[in-house]
């Protein structure tokens, strides 16, 4: 049965510091894609439109890289608290005047369709609906380090997201909230305003991704694209048993054209010709990016920044390299060293080599002695020898931890 039209909000504005990732956890890799993408895809598949995602200030590039291919999605800067982030997103949605809205946390990537159906059905007779699970463990109040009184678990429920509301009711409840916006739950906000909230069955799959071990477990259990059956006795390789060192290589070529700017390894050079390409065509950085992606088996630069995508036209390759460095960290590794060789007849690389090393080290947050830039000619042979283009070859090593 088709679902009624509804909009959605995804709260993804926190720092996620407990997750121990190299970037906010909502943009960290989880089972092959940024964490926030999982819930966004589930909501898109269920028909949510539009979807507003509350993101941290300054995270626009990360958000666009992860979610820019979804036309239903727009972004809004979150606030200092979860409630403020939701309120900002509700105000962003107000111009669309949706009838119903689901509010979800990016930290819950596995969103079953039947939970969405139960929530929307609950709105037929109520202002709000939330998914809950029964409490099966004994609950107690702590008296410092000592056991205090037990709580009646029979009336207790574990609350999950998404939570569903009539849009006008939840927007009005947030606008009328008294005092500081510190509520950790949108149903609490609605109930404070007098709205009723029905409980529907949640799902254990809606668990939150919170700690570093959640990401490590996901890397261990993520299925291969084409899994081969393993013997029953084969051990499962845990995150701690990943290869301690991995290597990758990269190679790239761009043609030289008059009138183009020439950027190599993040440094702009004064030359009669520049490199032509969809981005700034920094052939050195492009080779390094492919080396890093190769080291963690994360595809190539075209997978992450396709030249067919107009948003990368003229883009600085610094952004590509920073993204590759983030992916290395998400995979549980850190960069040990990078080494790039530029192949060209002109211009002379030697006078600029130190500046290139310093720029690459700054982008990758590496010590200078971990970055090597070399140059050679092809002795007048081939397209580089004829001055038609510049080539670059790079290698990178990453180490666990």
């Amino acid at each position: 049965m088709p679902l009624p039209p509804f909009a959605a909000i995804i709260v993804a504005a926190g720092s996620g510091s407990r997750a121990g990732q190299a970037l906010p956890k909502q943009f960290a890799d989880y089972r092959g894609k940024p964490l926030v993408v999982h819930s966004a895809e589930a909501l898109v598949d269920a028909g949510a439109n539009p979807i507003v995602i509350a993101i941290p200030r300054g995270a626009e590039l990360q958000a666009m890289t992860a979610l820019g291919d979804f036309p239903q999605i727009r972004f809004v800067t979150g606030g200092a608290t979860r409630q403020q982030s939701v309120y900002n997103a509700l105000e962003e949605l107000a111009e669309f005047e949706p009838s119903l809205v689901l509010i979800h946390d990016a930290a819950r990537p596995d969103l079953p369709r039947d939970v969405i159906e139960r929530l929307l059905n609950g709105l037929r007779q109520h202002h709000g609906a939330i998914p809950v699970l029964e409490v099966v463990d004994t609950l107690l109040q702590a008296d410092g380090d000592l056991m205090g009184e037990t709580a009646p678990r029979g009336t207790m429920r574990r609350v999950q997201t998404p939570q569903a509301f009539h849009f006008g009711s939840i927007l009005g409840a947030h606008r009328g909230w008294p005092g500081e916006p510190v509520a950790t739950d949108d149903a609490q906000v609605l109930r404070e305003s007098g709205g009723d909230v029905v409980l529907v069955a949640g799902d254990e799959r809606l668990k939150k991704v919170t700690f570093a071990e959640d990401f490590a477990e996901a890397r261990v259990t993520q299925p291969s694209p084409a899994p081969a059956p393993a013997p029953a006795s084969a051990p499962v390789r845990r995150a701690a048993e990943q290869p301690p060192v991995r290597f990758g290589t990269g190679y790239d070529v761009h043609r030289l054209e008059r009138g183009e700017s020439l950027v190599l390894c993040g440094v702009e050079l004064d030359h009669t010709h520049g490199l032509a390409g969809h981005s700034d065509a920094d052939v050195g950085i492009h080779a390094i990016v492919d080396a890093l992606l190769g080291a963690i088996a994360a595809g190539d630069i075209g997978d992450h920044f396709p030249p067919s995508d107009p948003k990368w036209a003229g883009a600085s390759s610094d952004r590509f390299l920073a993204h590759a460095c983030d992916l290395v960290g998400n995979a549980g590794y850190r960069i040990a060293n990078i080494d790039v060789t530029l192949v060209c007849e002109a211009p002379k690389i030697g006078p600029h080599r130190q500046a290139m090393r310093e720029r690459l080290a700054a982008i990758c947050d590496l010590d200078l002695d971990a970055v090597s830039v070399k140059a050679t000619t092809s002795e007048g042979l081939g397209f580089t020898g004829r001055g038609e283009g510049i080539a670059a070859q790079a290698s990178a090593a990453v180490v666990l931890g």
Side-chain angles (χ1 to χ4, degrees):
M1 184 174 65
L3 299 176
F6 69 99
I9 290 170
I10 300 176
V11 186
S15 64
S17 56
R18 289 181 295 174
Q21 301 302 299
L23 66 166
K25 72 177 180 182
Q26 57 270 40
F27 302 119
D29 184 82
Y30 182 84
R31 298 190 183 278
K33 63 186 75 173
L35 181 66
V36 66
V37 173
H38 291 271
S39 50
E41 288 178 338
L43 288 166
V44 168
D45 290 344
N49 190 16
I51 299 173
V52 173
I53 302 183
I55 61 174
R57 185 175 302 278
E60 291 79 10
L61 174 59
Q62 291 171 318
M64 283 298 300
T65 300
L67 296 154
D69 293 334
F70 294 95
Q72 304 93 331
I73 289 176
R74 58 170 52 196
F75 304 105
V76 67
T77 301
T81 66
R82 183 188 186 282
Q83 184 180 354
Q84 185 63 56
S85 296
V86 172
Y87 176 66
N88 292 355
L90 287 168
E91 291 291 0
E92 183 74 13
L93 268 181
E95 66 175 279
F96 297 96
E97 300 182 346
S99 176
L100 310 175
V101 62
L102 263 62
I103 303 176
H104 189 47
D105 293 328
R108 300 181 190 268
D110 193 353
L111 174 51
R113 169 75 174 243
D114 55 358
V115 173
I116 295 176
E117 293 175 355
R118 290 195 289 269
L119 289 167
L120 294 176
N121 285 335
L123 294 182
R124 293 178 178 178
Q125 297 180 348
H126 303 276
H127 298 106
I130 60 174
V132 299
L133 295 175
E134 292 187 358
V135 175
V136 297
D137 298 310
T138 297
L139 296 176
L140 58 83
Q141 294 179 347
D143 183 7
D145 292 333
L146 300 177
M147 176 178 175
E149 296 296 323
T150 59
R153 70 182 182 190
T155 60
M156 299 292 179
R157 296 294 184 269
R158 295 159 50 199
V159 180
Q160 301 177 310
T161 70
Q163 299 183 354
F165 306 95
H166 289 272
F167 182 78
S169 298
I170 191 63
L171 177 61
H174 273 273
R175 285 175 172 173
W177 177 262
E180 295 296 316
V182 294
T184 58
D185 183 84
D186 297 292
Q188 175 188 352
V189 177
L190 180 65
R191 195 166 181 271
E192 178 71 21
S193 73
D196 64 320
V197 180
V198 67
L199 309 182
V200 305
D203 196 305
E204 289 288 357
R205 290 165 54 189
L206 276 167
K207 71 174 186 176
K208 293 183 72 172
V209 173
T210 305
F211 302 108
E213 51 264 36
D214 296 327
F215 286 89
E217 179 183 359
R219 289 196 293 271
V220 170
T221 59
Q222 180 180 346
S224 164
S233 60
V236 175
R237 189 171 75 187
R238 299 296 172 186
E241 298 170 356
Q242 295 184 108
V245 181
R246 299 179 67 161
F247 300 93
T249 62
Y251 178 79
D252 197 36
V253 171
H254 282 285
R255 68 182 181 275
L256 284 164
E257 290 187 0
R258 188 176 295 276
E260 296 283 351
S261 61
L262 179 59
V263 180
L264 289 173
C265 296
V267 176
E268 186 167 0
L269 279 63
D270 185 16
H271 189 53
T272 58
H273 291 65
L275 292 171
H278 186 61
S279 62
D280 64 4
D282 188 332
V283 68
I285 283 186
H286 292 186
I288 295 169
V289 169
D290 270 349
L292 292 172
L293 295 176
I296 58 172
D300 61 31
I301 192 170
D303 296 327
H304 296 263
F305 305 97
S308 59
D309 192 333
K311 71 169 171 271
W312 304 120
S316 170
S317 296
D318 295 11
R319 298 160 65 182
F320 305 164
L321 182 53
H323 177 71
C325 294
D326 287 341
L327 293 181
V328 170
N330 295 344
Y333 288 84
R334 59 182 175 83
I335 300 170
N337 73 290
I338 55 178
D339 178 28
V340 60
T341 300
L342 302 171
V343 184
C344 59
E345 300 295 322
K348 297 296 183 183
I349 301 301
H352 310 284
R353 189 171 67 169
Q354 187 67 8
M356 292 177 180
R357 293 180 64 210
E358 292 173 354
R359 182 62 188 140
L360 294 173
I363 298 169
C364 300
D365 194 22
L366 295 172
D367 292 335
L368 192 61
D369 62 6
V371 180
S372 171
V373 176
K374 307 190 301 293
T376 188
T377 71
S378 53
E379 301 292 339
L381 301 175
F383 69 91
T384 56
R386 296 190 296 270
E388 297 171 0
I390 296 178
Q393 181 170 310
S395 61
V398 299
V399 295
L400 197 61

